[in-house]
Amino acid sequence: MRLGGRVAGAIEVLADIEARRRPVADALKDWGLSHRFAGSGDRAAIGNIVYDALRMRLSHAWLMEDESPTALAFAVLIRQWGFSPETLAAELEDDKFAPALPSFEPLLSRDLADAPLHIQGDIPDWVQPSFEAGFGENWLAEAKALAGRPTLDLRANTLKASRDKVVKALDRSGAAASPIARNGVRIAAGEGPSRLPNVTAELSFQKGWFEVQDEGSQIVADLVMPAEGAQVLDYCAGGGGKTLAMSAAMHNKGQIHAYDTDRKRLAPIIERLKRAGVRNAQVHDDVRRMENLKEKLDTVLVDAPCTGTGTWRRRPDTKWRLTQKNIEERTGQQQEALTEAAAYVKPGGTLIYITCSVLPEENDAQARRFAESNPEFSIEPAAPAWDALFGENAPRPHSRDNATLTLTPASTDTDGFFFCRLRRKA
């Protein structure tokens, strides 16, 4: 396919997402199944246009004075892919599959600095107060950073391979050591139609040398700092990413109990544990069978259900589906998870609260509300652990008081994650 056909395909997918309010991954998959002539490079390019358009939907629409899928797709090519109207016209000349070019006059004449601030930041207008409350005068930079393309991040599984060994195995993919995470490996996001490598097809992945895991997720798992012989509960384990990371940090010693109420989310963990060579993890899907663990565990990790605002770079469609009701539902679930998980922490043990959100309602406010309601728990400053693990010269996450930490694309070049350590009185 030439560029014109790829743009036309992206417009079809964007129209489908808008009409049916469905996840972008589902819309792209269905388009690929109904257009089997499209090669893998074509599908990747179409996906890139769609994701880029959704990440910057508001600013594209404002500059084009048009929020249609066609306007958004062409705005991507001009603003993000490096085309000028002239070079784009030349590229699409004689391409019978190319859509008609829209007018670029508004885009060329308007200055984004004149747009409302939430449009400049490409976030819903009603979310702006939360960003202001969470990040103060830096909120706009934080919002803009969430509209960029994410890198592909991997974690070297030190139970089987060193980071250097993984980097060497993936040298054709442009892999390099991550900036912060101690066992992280990073592959740059790429530009325009370029596609990221399918690293899970690599033999080194099948051997369990590495896992696909955002650097932010690796960092917050590292900040848990579980001791080698510790008894740990990963209370909302999901697919097991943090369980795997903690197992490696504990050198396969001690015991990790991985629990989740959602059996579908938990299902992949068995194969992942086996591939990674993890021997110190037990998987639970029935809370009744964990009764004997109450008040006996050194560390309990609550990777709480959240809005996922920290992952907007990877799932930009969710940015435009978010509602106030979603936040209210999640905050209720978070308080419930914290209360339930706290029962397993032994006196003197730690309760770790993590989200992949950047909204203060789900983060600081939740941790402080829990501590106020449960005086046997107190927030323990997390900044010293950051310095001890990553060094004082490493990029620093957002923090008002060095007690809790919020990782963001703008501050740490990772997905957004919140971390808080609460200590139970001995």
Side-chain angles (χ1 to χ4, degrees):
M1 295 174 69
R2 294 174 58 185
L3 179 61
R6 291 174 170 182
V7 175
I11 291 170
E12 288 181 35
V13 174
L14 286 167
D16 183 32
I17 293 169
E18 181 180 340
R20 299 168 65 182
R21 294 186 64 80
R22 61 201 306 236
V24 61
D26 291 349
L28 284 167
K29 181 181 179 180
D30 284 356
W31 188 93
L33 290 173
S34 61
H35 297 77
R36 293 186 180 276
F37 59 83
S40 58
D42 298 321
R43 294 194 300 272
I46 290 168
N48 284 353
I49 294 172
V50 170
Y51 275 96
D52 285 345
L54 292 172
R55 290 183 185 110
M56 302 178 69
R57 193 181 86 174
L58 286 186
S59 61
H60 284 331
W62 189 86
L63 287 168
M64 293 289 287
E65 294 186 345
D66 184 353
E67 60 182 14
S68 69
T70 298
L72 297 180
F74 278 107
V76 166
L77 300 180
I78 300 297
R79 295 186 65 208
Q80 294 169 270
W81 286 33
F83 285 97
S84 68
E86 294 74 23
T87 58
L88 183 56
E91 180 72 24
L92 300 180
E93 189 176 4
D94 299 326
D95 187 341
K96 64 180 181 179
F97 297 106
L101 287 170
S103 171
F104 293 116
E105 184 178 346
L107 185 149
L108 299 175
S109 61
R110 302 190 91 181
D111 185 346
L112 188 59
D114 295 330
L117 293 179
H118 76 279
I119 290 177
Q120 294 182 40
D122 278 294
I123 61 173
D125 57 351
W126 64 271
V127 177
Q128 181 178 329
S130 292
F131 271 70
E132 292 175 343
F135 299 113
E137 62 183 15
N138 295 324
W139 79 265
L140 184 55
E142 295 286 353
K144 289 180 177 180
L146 280 163
R149 279 193 190 180
T151 55
L152 173 58
D153 292 338
L154 319 172
R155 179 185 57 80
N157 174 25
T158 53
L159 295 176
K160 290 193 171 185
S162 67
R163 175 161 69 176
D164 289 344
K165 189 174 183 178
V166 173
V167 169
K168 185 176 181 180
L170 300 175
D171 60 348
R172 291 178 300 175
S173 301
S178 296
I180 303 174
R182 299 185 298 171
N183 297 305
V185 176
R186 173 164 287 188
I187 297 172
E191 298 178 349
S194 64
R195 54 178 171 166
L196 290 166
N198 180 15
V199 294
T200 58
E202 296 284 343
L203 182 60
S204 53
F205 175 77
Q206 302 302 325
K207 290 180 176 179
W209 290 6
F210 66 88
E211 290 288 330
V212 177
Q213 186 177 22
D214 176 75
E215 187 177 7
S217 180
Q218 297 177 47
I219 289 169
V220 293
D222 219 0
L223 284 166
V224 176
M225 301 178 75
E228 279 194 3
Q231 295 292 310
V232 178
L233 170 61
D234 186 353
Y235 190 71
C236 303
K242 294 178 181 64
T243 290
L244 291 164
M246 290 190 294
S247 176
M250 295 164 66
H251 302 107
N252 246 341
K253 299 177 182 179
Q255 189 72 56
I256 302 175
H257 299 272
Y259 166 74
D260 203 291
T261 58
D262 189 334
R263 293 181 178 180
K264 185 176 180 181
R265 291 185 67 236
L266 194 62
I269 196 173
I270 302 299
E271 182 59 34
R272 295 181 75 185
L273 293 172
K274 186 183 302 183
R275 185 177 60 244
V278 171
R279 299 189 303 274
N280 66 337
Q282 294 185 40
V283 180
H284 306 266
D285 62 5
D286 187 345
V287 72
R288 294 171 298 180
R289 297 185 179 181
M290 300 197 300
E291 192 69 25
N292 63 322
L293 299 178
K294 287 188 174 179
E295 295 196 336
K296 293 182 180 179
L297 302 180
D298 301 290
T299 299
V300 176
L301 165 63
V302 180
D303 188 0
C306 68
T307 58
T309 51
T311 67
W312 275 350
R313 297 184 304 169
R314 302 183 192 279
R315 302 172 63 210
D317 51 320
T318 63
K319 175 162 55 173
W320 311 115
R321 293 202 302 269
L322 182 67
T323 65
Q324 184 62 47
K325 183 180 179 182
N326 295 151
I327 296 176
E328 293 168 359
E329 290 174 346
R330 290 306 190 203
T331 53
Q333 293 166 355
Q334 288 154 7
Q335 283 294 313
E336 183 178 341
L338 275 169
T339 300
E340 292 173 353
Y344 297 92
V345 182
K346 74 177 187 180
T350 58
L351 176 65
I352 307 295
Y353 178 60
I354 292 172
T355 74
C356 58
S357 173
V358 295
L359 302 182
E361 303 97 300
E362 299 183 89
N363 296 341
D364 275 287
Q366 290 285 59
R368 297 184 191 285
R369 182 182 298 116
F370 176 82
E372 290 170 2
S373 302
N374 299 270
E376 69 272 28
F377 286 90
S378 59
I379 295 175
E380 191 170 271
W386 181 277
D387 292 339
L389 288 170
F390 312 118
E392 295 182 0
N393 295 325
R396 300 193 69 80
H398 176 80
S399 180
R400 288 184 173 181
D401 52 12
N402 290 328
T404 64
L405 306 175
T406 303
L407 286 67
T408 65
S411 64
T412 52
D413 196 18
T414 65
D415 282 351
F417 279 91
F418 175 78
F419 180 90
C420 177
R421 187 192 314 275
L422 297 115
R423 177 78 61 181
R424 183 177 179 183
K425 292 179 181 178

